[in-house]
Amino acid sequence: MAKPSILNGPDQIAMERAAVEVFSHPDVQAAMAAKRAAFETHPLAKTPAGRATIDLNLEEMAFSAVVSVVAMDVSRTLPFWTLNLPHRRGDVAVPGTRHGVDNPDNIYRVMAVDDVNTFRVEGQVHDRPGADVSFTLFNHYPGAGADSQSQGLLLLAQLDTDDEGRFAFTVGPEDADGRTNHIRTQPGQARLIFVRDSLQDWGAETPVSLSIKRIAGPGAVVPTQQNQVAAAVKAVGISIDYWLRLMPQWFGTPFNEIGKGRTKNFSYTQQATSEARFRLSPDEALIVTVDPSQATYLGIQLADPWGASIDYAAHTSSLNQHQAHISDDGTLTYVLSLFDPGVWNWLDPGDLEQGTMLHRWQGLPAGGFDSERSVRSARVVSRAQLNDALPSGMRRTTPSERARQRAVRAAQLARRFE
């Protein structure tokens, strides 16, 4: 008998179909259409890359808002896989849900909770888990109109697992009473458990299996589809306004300047990030050297100007410590350019001359994160200057090797839909 799918079980598919049904409702489609003007009049729309990606972001931000309604139904909470590329479920086309410079290395799952019920989450580790697996209690769904703030955090490494890799923890209003496998909810501050399996080796690391059930409390009212449609109409407007307001604030640094990594409490309490914008001519390249700084995980991801990750199935638009060539001194040097620079560590922006990028350090060392060491250098050079500007020992690649790199990447990504 085939093993049940970790990410694509019947509950996941049923909820995706339910979200598509709500998204297809005329009222929701009208709400999405009404937000087109907000994109078209936005300063980002004045750039070629911004104009070219309006349709994608309008649809994916709107569908993500619908998911934030359908998946946050506490009466039938389940681990729902989101922040995903567009895909198909049989005869149903499921739109993407990318926003906020989503990380292709991450399997993002959400589990609805509240502040009056108690929930038990059960999981199982399979073979090799991701480099960093976390369970964060949020007060807001990401993009739902207010910044998501961590209310509690558990790491897979902190949880006891039995001989078969099984683990469990609870979420509820009760005191932990010394338990390490419990996250206490506070009144008005519990909305969801946000799960991230950060996979560095896409071909070998596997997300953990998860289930959730209510074990105490009054339960929750089952919403009607009419109620969900009304909530989705409201959510579409709020979510799109949030992202269009946030992106210029979040990514307001000068183009092609990579700031030092900084720790913050946005979505993960043990993460440091460096936000940046790129803008390059066809004959320019941005060369950046970053340091893992003893973090368990380091990744760099590209996105379009609005924040949707560039199609990472078709492009090497993200790199992590496993995928990239690491220099002898332990640093990672990459090249971002519209042309193929002939090096293994190429960040491919997918023909977009302008966009956003995030550097993420997760699983920070106990002794503290060395911000000054995190980003060593960043500079723009011309295509003619590139070879002389690259550090010695930089791994080069041929067109056939590049084709193989992309093919392997696509095949490894396909594992997630098995």
Side-chain angles (χ1 to χ4, degrees), residues 88-104:
R88 297 197 68 85
R89 298 296 190 187
D91 60 344
V92 176
V94 182
T97 41
R98 292 170 288 172
H99 54 67
V101 192
D102 52 297
N103 185 352

